[in-house]
Structures are given as structure tokens and as C-alpha cells.
Amino acid sequence: MNFDKIAVNALRGLSLDMITRSKSGHPGIALSSAPLMYTLFSKHLIADPDDPNWFNRDRFILSAGHASSLLYALLHLCGYKIPLDQLKQFRQLDSLTPGHPEVGHTPGVDATSGPLGQGIAQAVGFAMAEAHLQAIYPEGEQLINHYTYVLCGDGCLEEGISQEAISLAGLQKLNKMILLYDRNDCTLDGPLANSSSEDVKGRFEAAGWNVLLVKDGNDVDEIDKALSLAKTAKEKPTLIICHTVIGYGSPYAGSNVSHGKAFTPEEVIKTKENLGYNFAPFEIPEEAYMAFKDTFYKRGQAAHSEYNKTVEAYSKNHPTEYHLFESLKSNNIKSYLFDNAPSYEEGYKEATRNESQAFLNLVSNEVPNLFGGSADVAGSVKTSVKGFTNFTPENRKGQNINFGIREFEMASIQNGILLHGGLRTYIGSFLVFSDYMKAAIRMSAMEKIPSIYLFSHDSIAVGEDGPTHEPIEQLTMLRTIPDITVYRPSDAIEICAAYHVAFASVDRPTCLILSRQGLINNPGSSYEGAKLGGYVVSKEVKQPVFTLIATGSEVESAIAVQKALLSSGFDTRVVSLPSFDRFDKLTSAYKEEIFGLPYEKRVFIEMGKSDCLYKYAKYVIGIDEFGASGPASEVIKKYGFTPEQLTEKVLKIIKSQN
Ligand SMILES: Cc1ncc(C[n+]2csc(CCOP(=O)(O)OP(=O)(O)O)c2C)c(N)n1
């Protein structure tokens, strides 16, 4: 019996039933992509629905995340623990079937997707992780050896990040990355031709990809052949352009109207009739399940048990490496890392970007699975690690990734690598360019992964490069992203604490904000205090009249102000607040104790946008305009941040209060 047709139609029918029931979703691509997804899962992809996180499974990333109904329907038919009832709850609160796929929430979903382009971008990270892991273990292909499949639509390829992604995947010859492109020639607003006239084939070929063509995206055999061919590629990633019809079979076939319109029940009946699939809503023919049971399920089970045997033999042949592999499969490296700060001589002075590099070197000695790099600013952000070689097609063991000037893709790759598992990562750029990465940083927070962002050149002290390179609002931007940790350490001791927090995390990204200029170790600097997020770094002599709060390089300045104020007869306290999000989690009693004085008697000093600082202090000395180009000391003076200028400003505030 030919299960192909019935299974494809079951996917289409179920997707429509889900969307129509919830009165929300995207039927157009579900109808056009069903044969692609069916062919991939029934004939190629290897995974085990009984163990959805099996480490050596093929990964699948739905870059066109709006096709979620199709993915959930597919996973259900494939035997993942997504009951039919959950398909009926599509897009409803607390269901297993949210609007767009969410990793860690729905079994079988390997990455969160929906923001177009980011799925392809993350997939590059998955493919890199696979290649690197295979290389760092002896006979590593026994431990890790799988494909990374992606499905995208026209929209993903219009997004700029897709270009960064394909360019890097081509350079790195990621031959086990296979991108299925549902070319239905429509986007949300209309025909693709309204917004793109590009030669996609030429574009991918120029980036070093194989390009295969499926002329009829309804032809399962043609798709099957293309996938088989793609898997034989030795040197290049493969794009399979599949010509399809948006809204296939529906009254809106070929029109963008089908893109995001929940069909009426009558329209669903009509579509099913056209497809020759006459089943009631959520009625599923047994053959549709069989179509996956005898193929996908059996293949996955056999592969998984074969893998278990191979790995058992491996554990005997390479016990040490096997143990390491097992222990690093989760992102957990909690057991290790600086439980104390190193001791420093009095007056020790260093840029926190240099301190960061020193810690990276230390981490690399202890963490054998470190993998990272920067967006062409390794020399400035200090992300190069002693002994690391470059990750290249010829040297898959290399731990240093040259991301090139592709910040957004770099951040997405990091997300992909961590979602894949088995490796710890870091990436570096200038703080001001965190804007380019914002969407991926946000994604890492939602994906609950321990991405580490090293952002140097953290203020107007950048100087000569001028306003385009001087971060003003970026700290605020990062601090407002939920579920990430942001650290702006003031010296070597605080950065040690920040490194500890970053590498101890298993489910939360961390941004480390680093200075370019040298910062002196503050005598009262505290490793434990910094870990908490805030503490008294310089006590009052007797009875403070004001509390000065600062972060990063401004802590040093605040302490200088404190000294100057004392000589004018004003006793103050200085609080260092390297991490707002960590500090905010502490009890109000602790926080009040640290501040010592009420809100009205506090001033916050930071060389950045002032808005979010009012949370802690009634008075803020910040910068609410773009910076200026000139030598750092002059720029700092222009904005009134020399210790003398700050003293004058704080004095004025204190006097106005008393
Ligand atoms: C970054 C981003 N911008 C916009 C959207 C909103 N959006 C969702 S689907 C879509 C059109 C995508 O077109 P295509 O990939 O061809 O999908 P199809 O029309 O075939 O469903 C848009 C604009 C989004 N999800 N992500």
C-alpha cells in the first residue's frame, strides 16, 4: 500500500484542523511543506521518539517556525509524546503546542524558531558542534555522527542573517548540513517577486554550497532522491530548492491569502475534498501512523540500539575519553572553577578585557570542551586563547572560530552549539555591536542555554573611534532582556566572580561587559560580594550622608569622589553593583543594608544611559546622548566624568538635599 499520499494528506489535514480549531496559525506553508517534511522524517531522519534527546540523533530545525502546526502534527504521527489532545490545544495557554516551536518545551523540537532566519543561523552551530565533537575524541565518529536538517521558506532567505549563515557554512564546508527550501514564491504580504528577484541558486553556489532542485515539491520520490544525494556530499553543505504551492489544495492555493488565514470549517472540508482526504477533524487513518512506524520509528530504534552497542565498546576501548564525553554531554561544569579570586598585589591594574583573557586561558586548561571566538575583534576583545588553533575544514579540532564580521550569526551559532550539547562556548565583540546580536541574545535567554558574551570597549572611554563605537544605551538594552545575567565588573576580582557565575550557569546566558582601559583593583573589592551582584566596596568612615553607586570603571571614580568629599567634610559610602539581575534577586533587607541610606540619599554614577539607574537612586549621573570622537581623557572630560567633575556634581546634589 502506498502510505506516502495518505501520510502527507494526514499532515495537511491535521495542520488545518489545528489551525481552524484555534482560529490562528499558518496553513499556507503547512500545505506546501507537508511532502518535504514527510519525506525527510519517513525516509531519512534518524531519531528516537522514545528518547527525544538521544545525543546522536539527527537534528531538525524548523527555521520557518510559523509552520509549527505541521511540525507538531508530524511529531505526533512519528510517536513523540504529543497526544492528539495537545494538537487540539494548538496555540493555547500551557499547551505542548505553542505558537512557534520552543526547545525544551515540546519533545522533538531541537531549537526555538519563529524569528525568520535564526533557524538556519542556529543550524550552522549544530553542524559545527557535530564536526568539532567528532574531531576532539579519538574515533569520535563512533560517539557523534549525524546530520543537521533545516526547513526554511522564502522569508528566512530574505533575512540578512541567512547570508551570514550560508557564507560561514560554505566556508566551513559543513557537508552534513542540509537545508530544505520550500520555495512557494509567496510571503505574508504577497508574491515573493514583490520583494526579491534574487538568483538563490547562484547565491548559494557562490557561498560554496551544493544546490539541488526538486521541480515538483509534491513528488515524494524526487524529494527522496535529492535528500539521498545531499547526504553523500563530502565537501559542501546542500541546499535543496523545492518548488511548491502555498496553500496547496485549498481555495487559496498559490495565493498569499493562505499564508496566515485560519480557514473556516467549510474551507477545510473543501481542501480535504480537493486532496482526496475525507476525514473528519482530528480523525486520523491508521495508515498515517503506520507510514511512520514502519519507517521513521523502526529506523530510529535500530540506529539507537546499534549506537548503544558501539558506545559500549567505545567505553572499553577509550574509557577516559568516554567518561569525559559523558560528563560533558550536559552543559554542566559546575564542579570546577574559581571558588576564590586569585590574590593580587596592592595597586594591581589591568583592563578587564585583559583579565577576561587571563580567565579564558585558565578555563581552557580546565574545560576540555571550550569552543569559541570573536567577530574579527579577537585582538581587541582579547578572546584568543593560548594553544587554541583555528577551526577549519582541515582542522576540525581547532577550538577557535573565526566568525568574521558576522555578529548576529556568531551569536546564533553559539546558540546552536549549546543546544547541540557537549561543548561550552564564548563569543566576543564590542559592546556597541551587541545591538547587532540582540535578537540572538534574546533567543538564548528563551532557550535557557548558558551562552557567554564577552563585550569590551564598554563606554565613551573608547575615545577616538567616536560615537558610532561608544556604547550608551546598550547596557540598558541588555539589562532589560529577561532571564540573562549582565556583569560589568570593576576590576580583576569582580571579573573572576563574573567568570565563575558565567561558567557555573547551565541554563542562563551571561554578558560580561569589559573595559578597554586599565582598572585598578579596588582595595575593598570582593569576590563574594560581586557574585551576589552588589556590595559595599568602600565603607564610610563614620556616618554616611550619601551613598554612591557605580559599576565597572566608575567604581574607581566613585571611590576617588568619596575621598575628595571626605576632605570637604562629607562622609559617604560606595556600593559596587556589577550585576543588577543578581542583586535584584536578593532580599530587600540585604539590599537596604548594602545601600545603607534611603533612595533619596543615593546617587548612581555610570557612563551610560540613565533611565534604568533610577531604579536604585534618586540621582543619576549618566550620559543621555551619543558620545564624541577624541582622545578618551578629553571625551570623559566633555561628559563630566573626571573625579573632580564628579565630585563637584555629587557635592551639589548632597548640598541640595541637606
Ligand atoms: C524576523 C521576522 N520577521 C517577520 C516575521 C513575520 N512573518 C512570519 S512568516 C512571514 C512571511 C514568511 O514568508 P515565507 O517564508 O515565504 O513563508 P510562507 O509565506 O511560505 O508561509 C513573516 C513576514 C517573522 N516571523 N520573523
Side-chain angles (χ1 to χ4, degrees), residues 26-30 32-33 63-67 100 113-118 152-159 161 181-190 192 244-247 255-256 258-260 408 439:
H26 299 83
I29 193 168
S32 63
S33 278
S63 195
H66 58 292
H100 291 87
S113 60
L116 297 173
Q118 281 198 65
C152 77
D154 302 303
C156 286
L157 295 188
E158 283 196 342
E159 287 292 347
I161 192 173
Y181 165 30
D182 175 339
R183 172 147 202 173
N184 63 29
D185 287 315
C186 269
T187 62
L188 194 157
D189 275 350
L192 179 64
T244 66
V245 178
I246 192 167
S255 157
N256 66 300
S258 70
H259 165 87
F408 190 6

Side-chain angles (χ1 to χ4, degrees), residues 222-291:
E222 207 189 337
I223 303 164
D224 180 25
K225 278 190 195 124
L227 281 165
S228 298
L229 193 58
K231 280 156 61 179
T232 63
K234 291 278 173 279
E235 286 271 291
K236 296 176 177 183
T238 299
L239 170 74
I240 307 177
I241 302 176
C242 305
H243 287 281
T244 66
V245 178
I246 192 167
Y248 182 81
S250 78
Y252 308 105
S255 157
N256 66 300
V257 174
S258 70
H259 165 87
K261 179 193 190 295
F263 291 179
T264 62
E266 294 70 38
E267 286 166 344
V268 174
I269 291 171
K270 183 89 200 122
T271 308
K272 287 183 180 177
E273 258 173 38
N274 292 343
L275 295 170
Y277 180 81
N278 297 309
F279 290 91
F282 296 102
E283 188 191 347
I284 305 170
E286 193 48 34
E287 293 90 331
Y289 288 107
M290 297 289 288

